[in-house]
Coordinates of all heavy atoms in Angstrom, one line a residue:
K101 N -77.7 1.7 13.9 CA -77.3 1.3 12.6 C -77.2 -0.2 12.4 O -77.5 -0.8 11.4 CB -75.9 1.9 12.3 CG -75.9 3.4 12.2 CD -74.5 4.0 12.0 CE -74.6 5.5 11.9 NZ -73.2 6.0 11.6
F102 N -76.7 -0.9 13.4 CA -76.5 -2.4 13.3 C -77.9 -3.1 13.2 O -78.0 -4.0 12.3 CB -75.8 -2.9 14.5 CG -75.5 -4.4 14.5 CD1 -74.5 -4.9 13.8 CD2 -76.4 -5.2 15.2 CE1 -74.2 -6.2 13.7 CE2 -76.1 -6.6 15.1 CZ -75.1 -7.1 14.4
R103 N -78.8 -2.7 13.9 CA -80.1 -3.3 13.8 C -80.8 -3.0 12.5 O -81.6 -3.8 12.0 CB -81.0 -2.9 15.0 CG -80.5 -3.5 16.3 CD -81.5 -3.3 17.4 NE -81.1 -4.1 18.6 CZ -81.9 -4.3 19.6 NH1 -83.1 -3.8 19.6 NH2 -81.5 -5.0 20.7
R104 N -80.6 -1.8 12.0 CA -81.2 -1.5 10.7 C -80.6 -2.3 9.6 O -81.3 -2.8 8.7 CB -81.0 0.0 10.4 CG -81.9 0.9 11.2 CD -82.0 2.3 10.6 NE -80.7 3.0 10.8 CZ -80.3 3.8 11.8 NH1 -81.1 3.9 12.8 NH2 -79.1 4.3 11.8
F105 N -79.3 -2.6 9.7 CA -78.7 -3.4 8.7 C -79.2 -4.9 8.9 O -79.4 -5.6 7.9 CB -77.1 -3.4 8.9 CG -76.4 -4.4 8.1 CD1 -76.2 -4.2 6.7 CD2 -75.9 -5.6 8.6 CE1 -75.5 -5.1 5.9 CE2 -75.3 -6.5 7.9 CZ -75.1 -6.3 6.5
R106 N -79.3 -5.3 10.1 CA -79.8 -6.7 10.3 C -81.2 -6.8 9.8 O -81.6 -7.9 9.2 CB -79.8 -7.0 11.8 CG -80.2 -8.5 12.1 CD -80.1 -8.7 13.6 NE -81.1 -7.9 14.3 CZ -81.3 -7.9 15.6 NH1 -80.5 -8.7 16.4 NH2 -82.2 -7.1 16.2
R107 N -82.1 -5.8 9.9 CA -83.4 -5.9 9.4 C -83.4 -6.0 7.9 O -84.1 -6.9 7.3 CB -84.2 -4.6 9.8 CG -85.5 -4.5 9.1 CD -86.1 -3.1 9.3 NE -86.9 -3.1 10.6 CZ -87.7 -2.1 11.0 NH1 -87.7 -1.0 10.3 NH2 -88.3 -2.2 12.1
A108 N -82.6 -5.2 7.2 CA -82.5 -5.2 5.8 C -82.0 -6.6 5.3 O -82.5 -7.2 4.3 CB -81.7 -4.1 5.3
Q109 N -81.0 -7.1 6.0 CA -80.4 -8.3 5.6 C -81.3 -9.5 5.8 O -81.5 -10.4 4.9 CB -79.1 -8.6 6.5 CG -78.4 -9.9 6.1 CD -77.2 -10.1 7.0 OE1 -77.2 -9.6 8.1 NE2 -76.2 -10.9 6.6
A110 N -82.1 -9.5 6.9 CA -83.0 -10.6 7.1 C -84.2 -10.6 6.1 O -84.6 -11.6 5.5 CB -83.5 -10.6 8.5
T111 N -84.7 -9.4 5.8 CA -85.8 -9.2 4.9 C -85.4 -9.6 3.5 O -86.1 -10.3 2.8 CB -86.3 -7.8 4.9 OG1 -86.7 -7.4 6.3 CG2 -87.5 -7.6 4.0
A112 N -84.2 -9.2 3.1 CA -83.7 -9.5 1.7 C -83.4 -11.0 1.6 O -83.7 -11.6 0.5 CB -82.4 -8.8 1.5
S113 N -83.0 -11.7 2.7 CA -82.7 -13.1 2.6 C -84.0 -13.9 2.5 O -84.1 -14.8 1.7 CB -82.0 -13.6 3.9 OG -80.8 -12.9 4.0
V114 N -85.1 -13.5 3.2 CA -86.4 -14.1 3.1 C -87.0 -13.9 1.7 O -87.5 -14.8 1.0 CB -87.3 -13.6 4.2 CG1 -88.7 -14.2 3.9 CG2 -86.8 -14.1 5.5
A115 N -86.9 -12.7 1.2 CA -87.5 -12.4 -0.1 C -86.8 -13.1 -1.2 O -87.4 -13.7 -2.1 CB -87.4 -10.8 -0.4
A116 N -85.4 -13.2 -1.2 CA -84.7 -13.9 -2.2 C -85.0 -15.4 -2.2 O -85.2 -16.1 -3.2 CB -83.2 -13.7 -2.0
G117 N -85.0 -16.0 -1.0 CA -85.3 -17.4 -0.8 C -86.7 -17.7 -1.4 O -86.9 -18.8 -2.1
M118 N -87.7 -16.9 -1.0 CA -89.1 -17.2 -1.5 C -89.2 -17.0 -3.0 O -90.0 -17.7 -3.7 CB -90.1 -16.3 -0.7 CG -90.2 -16.7 0.8 SD -90.7 -18.4 1.0 CE -92.3 -18.4 0.2
S119 N -88.5 -16.0 -3.5 CA -88.5 -15.8 -5.0 C -87.9 -17.0 -5.7 O -88.5 -17.5 -6.7 CB -87.7 -14.5 -5.3 OG -88.3 -13.4 -4.8
W120 N -86.8 -17.5 -5.2 CA -86.2 -18.7 -5.9 C -87.1 -19.9 -5.8 O -87.3 -20.7 -6.7 CB -84.9 -19.0 -5.2 CG -84.2 -20.2 -5.9 CD1 -83.3 -20.1 -6.9 CD2 -84.3 -21.5 -5.6 NE1 -82.8 -21.3 -7.3 CE2 -83.4 -22.2 -6.5 CE3 -85.0 -22.3 -4.6 CZ2 -83.3 -23.6 -6.4 CZ3 -84.9 -23.6 -4.6 CH2 -84.0 -24.3 -5.5
L121 N -87.8 -20.1 -4.6 CA -88.7 -21.2 -4.4 C -89.9 -21.1 -5.3 O -90.4 -22.1 -5.9 CB -89.1 -21.3 -3.0 CG -90.1 -22.4 -2.6 CD1 -89.4 -23.8 -2.8 CD2 -90.5 -22.3 -1.1
T122 N -90.4 -19.9 -5.5 CA -91.6 -19.7 -6.4 C -91.2 -20.1 -7.9 O -92.0 -20.8 -8.5 CB -92.0 -18.2 -6.4 OG1 -92.3 -17.8 -5.1 CG2 -93.2 -17.9 -7.3
C123 N -90.1 -19.7 -8.3 CA -89.6 -20.1 -9.7 C -89.3 -21.6 -9.8 O -89.6 -22.2 -10.8 CB -88.4 -19.2 -10.1 SG -88.8 -17.5 -10.2
A124 N -88.7 -22.1 -8.7 CA -88.3 -23.5 -8.8 C -89.5 -24.4 -8.8 O -89.5 -25.5 -9.3 CB -87.4 -23.8 -7.6
T125 N -90.7 -24.0 -8.2 CA -91.9 -24.8 -8.2 C -92.4 -25.0 -9.6 O -92.8 -26.2 -9.9 CB -93.0 -24.0 -7.4 OG1 -92.5 -23.8 -6.1 CG2 -94.3 -24.8 -7.4
A126 N -92.3 -24.0 -10.5 CA -92.7 -24.2 -11.8 C -91.7 -24.8 -12.8 O -91.9 -25.6 -13.6 CB -93.2 -22.9 -12.4
A127 N -90.4 -24.3 -12.6 CA -89.4 -24.7 -13.6 C -88.5 -25.8 -13.1 O -87.7 -26.4 -13.9 CB -88.5 -23.5 -13.8
G128 N -88.6 -26.2 -11.8 CA -87.8 -27.3 -11.3 C -86.5 -26.7 -10.7 O -85.9 -25.7 -11.2
P129 N -86.0 -27.3 -9.6 CA -84.9 -26.7 -8.9 C -83.5 -27.0 -9.5 O -82.5 -26.4 -9.2 CB -85.0 -27.4 -7.5 CG -85.7 -28.7 -7.8 CD -86.6 -28.5 -8.9
F130 N -83.4 -28.0 -10.4 CA -82.1 -28.5 -10.8 C -81.8 -28.1 -12.3 O -80.7 -28.6 -12.8 CB -81.9 -30.0 -10.6 CG -82.2 -30.4 -9.2 CD1 -83.2 -31.2 -8.8 CD2 -81.3 -30.0 -8.2 CE1 -83.5 -31.6 -7.5 CE2 -81.5 -30.4 -6.9 CZ -82.6 -31.2 -6.5
G131 N -82.6 -27.4 -12.9 CA -82.3 -27.0 -14.3 C -81.7 -25.6 -14.3 O -81.7 -24.8 -13.3
H132 N -81.1 -25.3 -15.4 CA -80.6 -23.9 -15.6 C -81.7 -23.0 -15.9 O -82.6 -23.3 -16.7 CB -79.5 -23.9 -16.7 CG -78.3 -24.7 -16.4 ND1 -77.3 -24.3 -15.5 CD2 -77.9 -25.9 -16.9 CE1 -76.4 -25.2 -15.4 NE2 -76.7 -26.2 -16.3
P133 N -81.8 -21.7 -15.4 CA -80.7 -21.1 -14.5 C -81.0 -21.2 -13.0 O -80.4 -20.6 -12.2 CB -80.9 -19.6 -14.9 CG -82.3 -19.4 -15.2 CD -82.8 -20.7 -15.8
M134 N -82.0 -22.1 -12.6 CA -82.3 -22.2 -11.2 C -81.2 -22.7 -10.3 O -80.9 -22.2 -9.2 CB -83.6 -23.0 -11.0 CG -84.8 -22.5 -11.7 SD -85.2 -20.8 -11.3 CE -85.4 -20.8 -9.6
V135 N -80.5 -23.7 -10.8 CA -79.4 -24.3 -10.1 C -78.3 -23.3 -9.9 O -77.6 -23.2 -8.9 CB -78.9 -25.6 -10.7 CG1 -78.2 -25.3 -12.0 CG2 -78.0 -26.3 -9.7
D136 N -78.0 -22.4 -11.0 CA -77.0 -21.4 -10.9 C -77.3 -20.4 -9.9 O -76.5 -19.9 -9.1 CB -76.8 -20.8 -12.3 CG -76.5 -21.8 -13.4 OD1 -75.7 -22.7 -13.1 OD2 -77.1 -21.7 -14.5
A137 N -78.6 -19.9 -9.9 CA -79.0 -18.9 -8.9 C -78.9 -19.5 -7.5 O -78.5 -18.7 -6.5 CB -80.5 -18.5 -9.2
W138 N -79.2 -20.8 -7.3 CA -79.1 -21.4 -6.0 C -77.7 -21.4 -5.5 O -77.3 -21.0 -4.4 CB -79.7 -22.8 -6.1 CG -79.3 -23.6 -4.9 CD1 -79.4 -23.4 -3.6 CD2 -78.8 -24.9 -5.0 NE1 -79.0 -24.4 -2.8 CE2 -78.6 -25.4 -3.7 CE3 -78.4 -25.8 -6.1 CZ2 -78.0 -26.7 -3.4 CZ3 -77.9 -27.1 -5.8 CH2 -77.7 -27.5 -4.4
L139 N -76.8 -21.9 -6.4 CA -75.4 -22.0 -6.0 C -74.7 -20.7 -5.7 O -74.0 -20.5 -4.7 CB -74.6 -22.7 -7.1 CG -74.9 -24.2 -7.3 CD1 -74.2 -24.7 -8.5 CD2 -74.6 -25.0 -6.1
L140 N -75.0 -19.6 -6.5 CA -74.4 -18.3 -6.3 C -75.1 -17.6 -5.2 O -74.4 -17.0 -4.3 CB -74.4 -17.5 -7.6 CG -73.6 -18.0 -8.8 CD1 -73.9 -17.2 -10.0 CD2 -72.1 -18.0 -8.4
G141 N -76.4 -17.5 -5.2 CA -77.1 -16.8 -4.2 C -77.0 -17.4 -2.8 O -76.9 -16.7 -1.8
G142 N -76.9 -18.7 -2.7 CA -76.8 -19.4 -1.4 C -75.4 -19.0 -0.8 O -75.3 -18.8 0.4
G143 N -74.4 -19.0 -1.6 CA -73.0 -18.7 -1.1 C -73.0 -17.2 -0.6 O -72.4 -16.9 0.5
L144 N -73.6 -16.3 -1.4 CA -73.6 -14.9 -0.9 C -74.4 -14.7 0.4 O -74.1 -14.0 1.3 CB -74.2 -14.0 -2.0 CG -73.3 -13.9 -3.3 CD1 -74.1 -13.1 -4.4 CD2 -72.0 -13.2 -3.0
F145 N -75.6 -15.5 0.4 CA -76.4 -15.4 1.6 C -75.6 -15.9 2.9 O -75.6 -15.2 3.9 CB -77.6 -16.3 1.4 CG -78.4 -16.6 2.7 CD1 -79.2 -15.8 3.3 CD2 -78.1 -17.9 3.3 CE1 -79.9 -16.1 4.4 CE2 -78.8 -18.2 4.4 CZ -79.7 -17.3 5.0
A146 N -74.9 -17.0 2.8 CA -74.2 -17.5 3.9 C -73.0 -16.6 4.3 O -72.8 -16.4 5.5 CB -73.7 -19.0 3.6
A147 N -72.3 -16.1 3.3 CA -71.2 -15.3 3.6 C -71.6 -14.0 4.3 O -71.0 -13.5 5.2 CB -70.5 -14.9 2.3
S148 N -72.8 -13.4 3.9 CA -73.2 -12.2 4.5 C -73.5 -12.4 6.0 O -73.2 -11.5 6.8 CB -74.5 -11.6 3.8 OG -75.6 -12.5 3.9
W149 N -74.1 -13.5 6.3 CA -74.4 -13.8 7.7 C -73.2 -14.1 8.5 O -73.1 -13.8 9.7 CB -75.4 -14.9 7.8 CG -76.8 -14.5 7.5 CD1 -77.5 -14.6 6.3 CD2 -77.7 -13.7 8.4 NE1 -78.7 -14.0 6.4 CE2 -78.9 -13.5 7.6 CE3 -77.6 -13.3 9.7 CZ2 -80.0 -12.8 8.2 CZ3 -78.7 -12.7 10.2 CH2 -79.9 -12.4 9.5
N150 N -72.2 -14.7 7.8 CA -70.9 -14.9 8.5 C -70.2 -13.5 8.9 O -69.6 -13.4 9.9 CB -69.9 -15.7 7.6 CG -70.3 -17.2 7.6 OD1 -69.8 -17.9 6.8 ND2 -71.2 -17.6 8.5
V151 N -70.3 -12.6 8.0 CA -69.8 -11.3 8.2 C -70.4 -10.6 9.4 O -69.8 -10.0 10.3 CB -69.9 -10.4 7.0 CG1 -69.5 -8.9 7.3 CG2 -69.0 -10.9 5.9
R152 N -71.7 -10.8 9.5 CA -72.5 -10.2 10.6 C -72.0 -10.9 12.0 O -71.8 -10.2 13.0 CB -74.0 -10.4 10.5 CG -74.8 -9.9 11.7 CD -76.2 -10.3 11.5 NE -77.0 -9.9 12.7 CZ -77.0 -10.6 13.8 NH1 -76.5 -11.8 13.9 NH2 -77.7 -10.2 14.9
Q153 N -71.8 -12.2 11.9 CA -71.4 -12.9 13.1 C -70.0 -12.4 13.6 O -69.7 -12.2 14.7 CB -71.3 -14.4 12.9 CG -72.7 -15.0 12.9 CD -72.7 -16.5 12.5 OE1 -72.3 -16.9 11.4 NE2 -73.1 -17.3 13.5
L154 N -69.1 -12.2 12.6 CA -67.8 -11.7 12.9 C -67.8 -10.3 13.6 O -67.1 -10.1 14.5 CB -66.9 -11.7 11.6 CG -66.5 -13.1 11.1 CD1 -65.8 -12.9 9.7 CD2 -65.5 -13.7 12.0

Side-chain angles (χ1 to χ4, degrees):
K101 293 180 180 180
F102 182 80
R103 290 193 171 188
R104 287 195 293 268
F105 172 78
R106 185 181 62 182
R107 167 189 276 186
Q109 183 184 21
T111 304
S113 299
V114 171
M118 291 304 297
S119 298
W120 184 89
L121 181 61
T122 300
C123 296
T125 300
F130 302 115
H132 294 287
M134 299 309 301
V135 69
D136 303 316
W138 164 51
L139 293 174
L140 294 175
L144 292 174
F145 162 83
S148 68
W149 283 97
N150 285 165
V151 170
R152 178 186 175 277
Q153 286 176 295
L154 288 170

